[in-house]
Amino acid sequence: MARPVKSARTAQSSQRRKVRRDLAAAALELFATKGYEATTVDEIAATAGVARRTFFRHFRSKEEAIFPDHDDTLERVEAVLLDAPPQENPIDTVCRGIKEVMRMYAASPSLSVARYRLTREVPALREREIASVSRYERLFTRYLLNRYDEHSHLGDEPLLAEVAASAVVTAHNHVLRRWLRRDGQGDVEAALDHAFTIVRRAFGDLPAGAGQRAGAPRAVTDGEVLVTVARTDAPLPEVMRAIERALDQRG
């Protein structure tokens, strides 16, 4: 008896995604042809074939409109974290989670490339993109903090969780930007896997404990905190080599 209700909800969700994507395509087209500042919400709605009030049911502002899939992607990422096998290393789980974000971009390469170029030119869109990405980083930080042993780093668990989450997100963004600059050409998932291999060298052995699921692997550390310095524009391999050198010096 519940099946028709579920089917109706699925249809509504599908229609919602379609409207959001139509609005995003309209916004992107108008921003590219008329310019961001000259484009109005009314024009975006009209181009998409919907009313102004429909636009505001889906987006709060015109800059938000060109990122229609982040909400749904965030839900998929959360599902990856919640459904992770008990024995999986937390860093591996987070790496699997952020792959959902990459798949979102890779599903429409031409749209992603056009959006990337536009966000480079319009500060308001760039700020919106940064805000969207930061939601994933906060989610990963909370997840890792919940998985780390609360007595392993003498109170530095929040720092380590945030740094590790940031490393995973930075690796993802580094690979994504390189792919977008190549017009969406190449095996982006293979490049992402390589970047994650580098991240795991630095963070894969952080201990999980009190917040972890039963059976998750543990590691013993002496509670030290690693601090290293790298340029903000340094390539990811250079950043990771700096971390590795610091680890070698510590040992």
Side-chain angles (χ1 to χ4, degrees):
M1 295 295 293
R3 186 170 298 175
V5 175
K6 183 177 181 181
S7 177
R9 288 176 178 171
T10 300
Q12 290 173 356
S13 178
S14 178
Q15 178 62 19
R16 171 181 171 274
R17 287 194 297 271
K18 180 182 183 304
V19 172
R20 287 172 65 85
R21 289 171 181 170
D22 287 347
L23 286 166
L28 190 60
E29 176 186 347
L30 289 167
F31 291 166
T33 56
K34 291 192 61 176
Y36 170 76
E37 295 294 342
T39 299
T40 67
V41 167
D42 287 339
E43 290 172 326
I44 295 171
T47 301
V50 301
R52 174 187 173 90
R53 64 179 180 275
T54 300
F55 177 95
F56 284 110
R57 281 204 295 267
H58 292 275
F59 302 109
R60 290 169 295 183
S61 62
K62 64 181 183 180
E63 61 266 19
E64 188 177 293
I66 68 165
F67 303 101
D69 296 323
H70 276 298
D71 288 345
D72 292 335
T73 303
L74 188 66
E75 290 181 6
R76 293 199 300 274
V77 173
E78 288 179 311
V80 170
L81 304 185
L82 289 172
D83 298 337
Q87 71 279 6
E88 186 172 47
N89 186 293
I91 294 295
D92 291 337
T93 304
V94 170
C95 289
R96 286 198 303 110
I98 204 168
K99 275 191 173 183
E100 294 296 324
V101 183
M102 183 64 79
R103 288 170 183 144
M104 175 192 72
Y105 284 97
S108 302
S110 59
L111 177 61
S112 296
V113 170
R115 184 168 54 196
Y116 172 75
R117 291 172 178 167
L118 189 60
T119 56
R120 302 284 72 74
E121 299 172 1
V122 181
L125 299 180
R126 177 59 176 160
E127 290 171 7
R128 167 52 58 183
E129 182 182 45
I130 291 171
S132 297
V133 172
S134 69
R135 297 166 65 192
Y136 301 109
E137 190 165 332
R138 291 195 300 270
L139 175 64
F140 296 146
T141 298
R142 290 195 301 269
Y143 175 77
L144 291 173
L145 182 58
N146 186 55
R147 294 292 307 273
Y148 288 164
D149 187 336
E150 64 182 8
H151 302 298
S152 61
H153 291 288
L154 303 178
D156 288 318
E157 293 78 20
L159 170 63
L160 292 169
E162 188 169 351
V163 170
S166 179
V168 172
V169 173
T170 297
H172 168 272
N173 292 347
H174 175 87
V175 172
L176 175 61
R177 284 193 300 269
R178 288 173 62 89
W179 179 72
L180 292 170
R181 289 167 185 162
R182 294 195 299 268
D183 294 329
Q185 301 298 312
D187 189 344
V188 68
E189 194 155 332
L192 192 60
D193 286 337
H194 173 71
F196 288 159
T197 298
I198 298 173
V199 171
R200 289 186 188 99
R201 292 175 190 168
F203 299 103
D205 291 333
L206 288 175
Q212 70 179 12
R213 297 186 178 101
R218 295 179 61 90
V220 178
T221 71
D222 57 7
E224 293 181 356
V225 177
L226 173 67
V227 177
T228 188
V229 178
R231 300 192 325 272
T232 57
D233 61 346
L236 179 63
E238 182 178 323
V239 175
M240 291 308 168
R241 282 195 295 271
I243 294 173
E244 290 171 354
R245 286 194 297 271
L247 287 169
D248 291 340
Q249 292 170 3
R250 185 191 68 173

